[in-house]
């Protein structure tokens, strides 16, 4: 075994994961007790194989490490991460608990167990683990932020506020800010508490800053200078922070807006006084040559949001919208209602998605329904059709393509019902009456604050009462449609 372990270590140092996997599996093929010094190497290799796309080899090795070192907590945690990676939360929870049972101090693993329980919807158990991890002092702002998310997911607004109050007391007393606390504060709508730590959003999102050379604008007078603003963290963010551009334009001599290429045509029509350039690498010369340094529009918005919802700030192509509306009117009688039920957000794909077939309270009304969902929706629409509901898809409109065409499609409709995704932002920015179905807890996108929005007029927020349960949100959207289109 020693020779194969040496080969394993040599392959790891070369980052040759295929060779490392082959050597490790050969070293453990005979079974038996695994030498104690080899356990850390093997458990770390399990993680490396998983991250490098070799999950099958990682699974075999994880089982063998546990068989050869059953009392090593790290071996169980390695297999727990692997189970979580393949979506088996029950196995991940069981292995984490097994690791804690074999550990002299189980407290470091409690936050991980709490996160797994949270993902599994076991919110009370998740809260209990976080309380145990906090201990009687309860002075860890990161754990308190997680506790606030769990309380929010359970619909416990008082518990969420109490956890955030404790975290902020520690922060004000000289504690260090954290991405977890920042995002929890933003999701709760506590912008004044969040603004001092907004730069931590980079760590929270994983999105790298743009490679601009200029320092950050301080928000001072700039009527004779050129200001550059750009979108940071996705299409939705770019659309909703663009609501602030009309506020920025009078404060500067010239405004350069760098945006996703898919938004460029729509933004040029909507903000003719600005110079709109597509994001690229390297940056467009107009962006790189801006006299004033770049500023995050959302930061400006957190500091000075106009009272009340902003009026629509995006303008679709009126001729294209009229042509689409005429075509859709031929599909049937009743209002034209667009639907989007899934999100591809990598941070909360499950929390922000629902099943179209569960939207019976909406689909059961007399209307023409249009599919606004990006991605393949054939199976979703077939499942809805089995319930007697028809949802039309326009193959001429690509939701993942140029958003100017998508905006025209939305402007052709009478109303939109959507989960929290790009569709929600585009509908609000265009002023199309819309209902946004929001999750609770960590799936909550902070721009919706605590279930309200200062960004979009004519938009109704319909929030889950408890994480994972869409009934109340769907009923709220149905009530909005009843108000818009009364009748049988």
């Amino acid at each position: 075994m020693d020779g194969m372990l040496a080969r394993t270590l040599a392959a790891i140092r070369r980052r040759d994961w295929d060779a490392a996997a082959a050597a490790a599996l050969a070293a453990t093929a005979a079974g038996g007790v695994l030498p104690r010094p080899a356990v850390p190497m093997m458990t770390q290799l399990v993680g490396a194989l998983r991250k490098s796309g070799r999950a099958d080899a990682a699974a075999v090795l994880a089982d063998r490490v546990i068989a050869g070192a059953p009392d090593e907590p790290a071996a169980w945690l390695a297999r727990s991460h692997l189970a979580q990676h393949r979506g088996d939360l029950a196995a991940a929870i069981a292995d984490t608990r097994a690791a804690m049972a074999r550990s002299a101090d189980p407290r470091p693993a409690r936050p991980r167990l709490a996160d797994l329980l949270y993902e599994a919807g076991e919110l009370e158990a998740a809260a209990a683990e976080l309380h145990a991890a906090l201990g009687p002092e309860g002075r860890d702002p990161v754990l308190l932020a997680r506790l606030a998310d769990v309380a929010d997911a359970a619909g416990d607004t008082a518990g969420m506020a109490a956890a955030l109050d404790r975290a902020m007391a520690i922060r004000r007393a000289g504690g260090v800010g954290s991405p977890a606390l920042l995002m929890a504060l933003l999701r709760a709508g506590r912008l004044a508490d969040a603004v001092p730590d907004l730069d931590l959003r980079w760590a929270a999102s994983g999105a790298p800053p743009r490679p601009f050379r200029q320092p950050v604008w301080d928000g001072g007078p700039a009527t004779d200078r050129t200001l550059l603003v750009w979108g940071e963290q996705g299409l939705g963010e770019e659309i909703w922070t663009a609501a602030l551009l009309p506020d920025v334009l009078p404060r500067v001599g010239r405004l350069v807006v760098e945006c996703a290429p898919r938004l460029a045509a729509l933004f040029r029509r909507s903000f003719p006084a600005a110079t709109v350039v597509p994001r690229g690498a390297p940056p467009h010369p107009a962006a790189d040559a801006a006299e004033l340094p770049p500023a995050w529009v959302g930061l400006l918005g957190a500091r000075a949001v106009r009272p009340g919802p902003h009026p629509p700030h995006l303008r679709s192509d009126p001729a294209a919208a009229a042509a689409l509306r005429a075509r859709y009117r031929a599909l049937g009688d009743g209002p034209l209602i667009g639907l989007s039920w899934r999100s591809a957000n990598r941070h909360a794909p499950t929390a922000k998605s629902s099943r179209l077939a569960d939207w019976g309270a909406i689909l059961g009304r007399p209307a023409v329904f249009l599919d606004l969902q990006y991605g393949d929706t054939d199976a979703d629409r077939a499942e809805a059709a089995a319930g007697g509901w028809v949802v039309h898809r326009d193959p001429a409109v690509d939701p993942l393509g140029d958003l100017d065409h998508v905006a025209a499609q939305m402007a052709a409709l009478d109303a939109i019902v959507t989960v929290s995704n790009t569709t929600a932002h585009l509908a609000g920015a265009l002023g199309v009456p819309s209902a946004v179905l929001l999750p609770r807890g960590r799936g909550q996108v902070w721009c919706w604050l605590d279930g309200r929005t200062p960004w979009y007029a004519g938009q109704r927020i319909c929030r889950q009462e408890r994480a994972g349960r869409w009934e109340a949100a769907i009923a709220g959207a149905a009530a909005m449609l009843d108000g818009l289109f009364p009748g049988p």
Side-chain angles (χ1 to χ4, degrees):
M1 178 182 287
D2 290 345
M4 296 309 300
L5 290 175
R7 290 186 186 180
T8 303
L9 180 58
I12 290 173
R13 287 173 174 166
R14 297 194 308 271
R15 302 182 70 81
D16 185 344
W17 302 122
D18 288 328
L25 293 175
T28 56
V33 176
L34 191 64
R36 190 178 186 87
V39 174
M41 177 180 70
M42 291 296 192
T43 55
Q44 291 170 24
L45 179 56
V46 169
L49 293 175
R50 169 178 56 83
K51 293 174 184 177
S52 66
R54 297 164 175 82
D56 291 343
V60 175
L61 182 58
D63 289 342
R64 290 184 182 179
V65 173
I66 285 177
D71 294 325
E72 290 291 340
W76 293 92
L77 284 176
R79 196 170 74 173
S80 170
H81 282 283
L82 194 59
Q84 182 183 16
H85 175 73
R86 67 173 182 266
D88 190 346
L89 290 177
I93 290 168
D95 281 346
T96 302
R97 284 180 166 147
M100 293 167 64
R102 290 160 174 80
S103 175
D105 182 6
R107 285 177 299 176
R110 288 193 185 280
R112 168 168 174 73
L113 179 57
D115 282 346
L116 291 170
L117 291 166
Y118 176 99
E119 288 185 39
E122 300 180 34
L123 301 179
E124 288 74 16
E129 292 296 335
L130 288 170
H131 281 297
L134 280 162
E137 295 296 323
R139 296 192 56 79
D140 186 328
V142 174
L143 293 182
L144 287 167
R146 291 186 182 185
L147 186 60
D149 284 338
V150 172
D152 182 28
D156 180 7
T157 55
M160 176 180 65
L164 291 178
D165 286 344
R166 289 168 62 191
M168 281 307 301
I170 298 166
R171 178 75 180 92
R172 294 189 187 103
V176 178
S178 74
L181 178 56
L182 169 68
M183 299 313 296
L185 290 167
L186 290 172
R187 283 191 288 266
R190 295 174 60 155
L191 300 186
D193 288 335
V195 163
D197 290 328
L198 266 177
D199 281 343
L200 293 174
R201 67 190 180 277
W202 298 115
S205 71
R210 293 288 288 139
F212 296 122
R213 298 168 295 176
Q214 306 97 315
V216 175
W217 178 45
D218 63 4
T223 53
D224 60 344
R225 306 290 295 279
T226 298
L227 173 69
L228 168 67
V229 295
W230 75 93
E232 286 183 351
Q233 298 171 17
L235 289 169
E237 179 269 343
E238 294 188 56
I239 292 168
W240 72 260
T241 51
L244 294 160
L245 293 181
D247 291 340
V248 178
L249 279 162
R251 300 173 60 184
V252 301
R254 178 169 170 253
L255 184 67
V256 177
V257 178
E258 185 198 64
C259 66
R262 294 166 59 194
L263 285 169
L266 181 59
F267 274 24
R268 288 190 186 106
R269 182 186 304 103
S270 303
F271 309 109
T275 299
V276 177
V277 299
R279 182 165 54 248
H284 190 281
D288 205 34
E291 296 178 34
L292 266 187
W296 185 54
V297 182
L299 174 59
L300 177 66
R303 288 176 174 165
V305 176
R306 282 202 306 260
H310 288 240
H313 59 275
L314 295 186
R315 293 166 47 200
S316 66
D317 181 335
L324 287 168
R325 183 171 180 85
R327 184 147 56 84
Y328 297 156
R329 274 274 52 109
L331 295 173
D333 298 326
L336 302 175
I337 301 175
L339 305 177
S340 179
W341 55 94
R342 284 202 310 263
S343 170
N345 185 297
R346 63 188 177 88
H347 298 293
T350 304
K352 295 175 63 177
S353 297
S354 62
R355 289 175 64 245
L356 178 62
D358 291 337
W359 287 27
I362 295 166
L363 293 167
R365 67 190 54 249
V368 175
F369 294 103
L370 275 298
D371 176 1
L372 304 181
Q373 181 62 52
Y374 43 79
D376 183 359
T377 64
D378 288 350
D380 303 82
R381 288 181 290 112
E383 189 178 13
W389 305 309
V390 176
V391 179
H392 301 275
R393 178 132 178 138
D394 186 347
V397 180
D398 178 9
L400 295 175
D402 186 350
L403 288 180
D404 198 29
H405 199 188
V406 176
Q409 181 187 40
M410 292 189 187
L413 305 178
D414 296 306
I416 291 172
V417 181
T418 177
V419 294
S420 170
N421 57 18
T422 300
T423 301
H425 292 286
L426 201 51
L430 291 166
V432 180
S434 52
V436 180
L437 278 58
L438 289 185
R440 297 197 75 98
R442 291 172 205 164
Q444 168 90 341
V445 179
W446 80 263
C447 62
W448 307 114
L449 304 179
D450 57 351
R452 56 190 170 86
T453 174
W455 310 108
Y456 307 128
Q459 193 164 75
R460 174 164 176 167
I461 302 303
C462 306
R463 202 171 182 215
Q464 292 176 342
E465 291 182 350
R466 182 182 173 93
R469 301 296 299 270
W470 287 106
E471 295 90 340
I474 292 169
M480 184 205 78
L481 295 176
D482 286 340
L484 289 173
F485 314 112

